[in-house]
């Protein structure tokens, strides 16, 4: 059951509805799920098809993604389900928006994921104006998070998530959890319309530190949620000490929240690499 002290929402990061059922049984609750092209490629049904030497057509893979999120939505009708548009580094904002319109109609509780790139931000600004809920993914800097804030001014709280990817920063020796702390501090100057969703969680330490920092939402793979459940769903207080294990600190920057989104420095190599990887994993499923 949800611990009384737990303020944050907890999502499963995955692409398999059976796993969602298991997570629900284990935790006794779940507030939503994040999916992405790589996670859909790891879905056991998709993997079986590939193992038989078959692939999807473009239409079939979208139907399959639709089927998966419909199952997730049925399991968590009150939760938020993130669905990611196909975006390689050359995909335009218009193309992302077209996909977003379709995907948003798939289920009543969708959040559409766009990359935190210039084209992704352009698409996000329009998507919010058209009444869509969104989740800005592949965020690696405070500037990108500030641009998300700026592009979505006026949106209702709950409609916009930003997903800083902590594990991928850790992977290259930077303390990803510090980016969460920095974004939370920066957003503290604003109107709180963007919710911080700690993503690319790789271990229980990430989850506990995110809870301690007051991240609005955390998404974690099944194995991390299981470890959390095995330990009795602890919610850390101020006394908890996170060990960054020698990772390089990411210093806080004074980034104003008052600019237009396209005045922020948006480029980050991990955002580009992330789009490349997501699109490769997706394309590998298609004939
Ligand atoms: O929520 C985003 C997540 O799926 C990315 O995680 O482990 O691929 O960096 P990871």
């Amino acid at each position: 059951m949800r611990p009384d002290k737990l303020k944050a929402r907890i999502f499963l990061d995955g692409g398999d509805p059976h796993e969602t059922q298991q997570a629900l049984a284990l935790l006794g609750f779940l507030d939503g799920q994040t999916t992405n092209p790589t996670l859909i490629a790891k879905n056991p049904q998709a993997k079986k098809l590939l193992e038989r030497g078959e692939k999807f057509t473009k239409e079939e893979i979208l139907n399959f993604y639709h089927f998966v999120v419909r199952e997730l939505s049925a399991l968590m009708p009150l939760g938020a389900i993130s669905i990611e548009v196909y975006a390689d580094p050359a995909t335009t904002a218009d193309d992302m928006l077209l996909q977003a319109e379709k995907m948003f109609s798939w289920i009543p509780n969708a959040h559409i994921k766009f990359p935190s790139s210039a084209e992704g931000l352009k698409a996000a600004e329009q998507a919010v104006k058209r009444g869509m809920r969104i989740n800005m993914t592949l965020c690696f800097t405070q500037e990108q998070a500030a641009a998300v804030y700026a592009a979505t001014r006026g949106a209702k709280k709950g409609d916009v998530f930003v997903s800083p990817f902590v594990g991928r920063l850790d992977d290259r020796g930077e303390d990803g959890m510090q980016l969460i702390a920095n974004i939370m501090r920066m957003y503290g100057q604003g109107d709180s319309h963007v919710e911080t969703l700690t993503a690319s969680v790789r271990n229980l330490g990430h989850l506990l530190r995110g809870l301690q920092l007051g991240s609005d939402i955390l998404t974690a793979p099944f194995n991390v949620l299981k470890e959390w459940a095995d330990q009795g769903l602890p919610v850390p207080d101020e006394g908890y000490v996170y060990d960054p294990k020698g990772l390089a600190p990411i210093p806080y920057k004074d980034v104003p929240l008052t600019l237009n989104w396209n005045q922020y420095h948006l480029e980050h190599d991990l955002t580009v690499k992330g789009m490349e990887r997501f699109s490769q994993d997706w394309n590998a499923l298609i004939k």
Side-chain angles (χ1 to χ4, degrees), residues 216-270:
D216 302 279
I217 308 164
L218 297 101
T219 190
F222 181 81
N223 65 318
V224 174
L225 293 183
K226 181 168 185 323
E227 199 183 338
W228 188 44
D230 288 346
Q231 294 196 13
L233 307 178
V235 179
D237 52 25
E238 315 80 63
Y240 171 74
V241 181
Y242 174 69
D243 178 6
K245 300 194 179 88
L247 293 166
I250 300 179
Y252 180 76
K253 290 187 191 166
D254 271 317
V255 180
L257 291 173
T258 46
L259 306 181
N260 291 328
W261 70 262
N262 50 11
Q263 292 176 286
Y264 295 98
H265 180 85
L266 290 171
E267 288 71 34
H268 197 280
D269 59 322
L270 289 181

Side-chain angles (χ1 to χ4, degrees), residues 36-63:
N36 66 42
T38 303
L39 293 170
I40 295 299
K42 286 185 185 158
N43 173 291
Q45 262 179 273
K47 274 182 29 193
K48 256 190 215 153
L49 190 106
L50 290 193
E51 278 160 20
R52 288 201 302 269
E54 295 173 36
K55 289 199 176 190
F56 296 89
T57 63
K58 277 193 177 169
E59 196 188 340
E60 283 167 351
I61 190 62
L62 280 177
N63 287 342

Side-chain angles (χ1 to χ4, degrees), residues 13-14 34-36 38-39 42 84 113 135 137-138 140 163-168 171 197-202 219-221 277-278:
D13 197 28
T34 44
T35 69
N36 66 42
T38 303
L39 293 170
K42 286 185 185 158
E84 185 155 343
K113 286 173 96 175
N135 176 359
T137 190
L138 292 167
F140 293 97
S163 291
F165 271 31
V166 298
R168 293 193 193 182
D171 288 346
L197 192 168
T198 301
S200 182
V201 162
R202 301 280 174 71
T219 190
R277 188 168 132 204
F278 283 152

Side-chain angles (χ1 to χ4, degrees), residues 145-194:
V148 170
Y149 182 95
T152 60
R153 273 191 203 101
K156 204 167 82 244
K157 189 172 167 126
D159 284 2
V160 182
F161 305 154
V162 66
S163 291
F165 271 31
V166 298
R168 293 193 193 182
L169 285 166
D170 282 18
D171 288 346
R172 66 176 205 178
E174 296 174 51
D175 180 6
M177 289 314 300
Q178 218 159 19
L179 177 64
I180 301 294
N182 294 345
I183 291 173
M184 304 285 304
R185 180 173 160 193
M186 177 179 72
Y187 279 175
Q189 304 158 25
D191 62 8
S192 310
H193 77 272
V194 182

